[in-house]
Amino acid sequence: MIKDSEKELEKKFQEKIDRGESIEPKDWMPERYRKQLIRMMGQHAHSEIVGMLPEGNWITRAPSLKRKAVLLAKVQDEAGHGLYIYSGTETLGISRDEMNSELLSGKAKYSSIFNYPTLSWADMGAIGWLVDGAAIINQTALAKCSYGPYARAMVRICKEENFHHKQGYEILATLMKGTEEQREMAQDAVNRFWWPSMMMFGPSDKNSPNSEELMRWKVKRFSNDELRQRFVDRTVPQAENIGIKIPDPALKWNEETRHYDFGEINWEEFYNVISGKGICNKERLQARNEAHDKGAWVREAALAYAKKQASQEFAA
Ligand code: BYC
């Protein structure tokens, strides 16, 4: 009896999704839908927060006051993105503390891209252009996902990501107009960030265990490979425009498909990075843990203040 009604609810839920309607926090949803969203949104929020670290590394070394102000604003924006998405995830019944513990213990994933080091100023350009560029393509699709709070967070985030993308491209364009050494620095950054950016879209479709379910529920609107292709098609002309070479000898325009063909991704590297064996995995988790420990007094003070306010209100 209970099983039947559950089936009926699931049928109605799927029909609602098929009609293109949003699922809101108080609506009935299958437990699996809730769990999948907590997983994906949690990972996304953690990525924004951990993503502050590689760029934060260059704030004190930005080459001018203007560059420093722009980078500072960008890194702060990423913190804001993390907070919107954590809030959106809380509507699914998980607390911020639980998500934070999962990040700090290393149980939760965050985007593979942030386990690569930032070695030169040009990396700020490559991250803005390639990493935020990849993120925009993914997130523009997520802005139409079936879960209302996630979709709405994405709309605002995408607007800010567009500014991030442009500032990164402009850093590289400026370097490409500079000295030989500056051009080499820009090219070197792109050489290091190109393939990790391609990996941001996740495993190829045939090896993506979550895709089928997430696409049926319209959480994902396009597959990993479709979005990766879109990224390549958009990015190659931008590279040509400023004289940057994409480090892929197999990259070639295909007149028949009207898309660029590209080389094979090093999946062994991808799986190593997402299983904790990337260059910076340990450093990133250590930095987050240290920041959490150093912030203990702030949490205690905020709690003490909130308790005092509550007791005063109660007494009044
Ligand atoms: N990195 O079945 P699949 C930003 C995992 S930050 C790590 O295809 P799904 C920015 C995946 O989680 C933007 N792990 O998964 C911030 C799964 O493992 P579990 C971050 C990855 O969910 C600062 C397994 O591989 N954006 O913009 O269907 C500065 C199998 O994969 C990755 C988001 O987080 C990866 N790259 O699809 C600058 C977008 N790829 O959980 C910029 C939201 C896959 O089963 N997320 N895995 O153990 C998504 O769109 C999707 O979750 C993914 C993966 C496309 C990433």
Side-chain angles (χ1 to χ4, degrees), residues 138-316:
N138 179 285
Q139 291 169 177
T140 307
L142 287 174
K144 295 195 176 71
C145 85
S146 57
Y147 191 56
Y150 196 20
R152 289 189 287 275
M154 285 303 116
V155 173
R156 176 158 178 191
I157 290 176
C158 282
K159 286 186 189 153
E160 292 175 355
E161 299 286 28
N162 272 311
F163 148 66
H164 298 169
H165 181 246
K166 284 197 184 111
Q167 67 85 38
Y169 190 58
E170 198 260 341
I171 288 175
L172 288 182
T174 305
L175 289 171
M176 289 307 285
K177 281 189 242 145
T179 62
E180 185 61 31
E181 207 181 345
Q182 286 170 320
R183 282 197 292 278
E184 274 170 20
M185 188 165 79
Q187 184 62 59
D188 171 65
V190 173
N191 291 350
R192 285 181 287 105
F193 276 94
W194 173 255
W195 290 107
S197 301
M198 293 280 278
M199 293 174 196
M200 284 176 73
F201 297 94
S204 59
D205 295 348
K206 60 180 187 303
N207 294 318
S208 165
N210 298 297
S211 276
E212 191 272 326
E213 192 170 53
L214 291 175
M215 291 200 46
R216 177 160 40 86
W217 284 329
K218 295 194 180 166
V219 172
K220 276 174 140 176
R221 309 301 299 248
F222 301 96
S223 75
N224 297 357
D225 287 333
E226 281 171 325
L227 291 178
R228 192 171 4 252
Q229 182 69 58
R230 197 174 288 189
F231 170 70
V232 175
D233 291 347
R234 275 207 199 156
T235 311
V236 174
Q238 293 168 358
E240 284 167 359
N241 208 22
I242 56 171
I244 285 272
K245 274 190 78 171
I246 301 290
D248 178 359
L251 190 75
K252 196 168 177 272
W253 176 251
N254 184 327
E255 200 51 51
E256 231 165 79
T257 59
R258 314 282 306 154
H259 292 292
Y260 284 92
D261 292 336
F262 51 88
E264 186 62 23
I265 287 171
N266 181 345
W267 292 116
E268 196 186 332
E269 175 179 322
F270 170 77
Y271 286 111
N272 269 333
V273 174
I274 70 168
S275 61
K277 287 177 254 157
I279 308 172
C280 297
N281 295 59
K282 279 204 187 104
E283 189 183 323
R284 300 293 184 235
L285 271 195
Q286 198 182 337
R288 283 311 313 151
N289 273 289
E290 272 172 27
H292 185 76
D293 294 346
K294 281 189 189 149
W297 71 271
V298 180
R299 292 189 295 280
E300 278 162 27
L303 192 65
Y305 179 76
K307 275 187 185 159
K308 196 171 167 215
Q309 289 286 98
S311 68
Q312 277 171 356
E313 270 170 35
F314 186 69

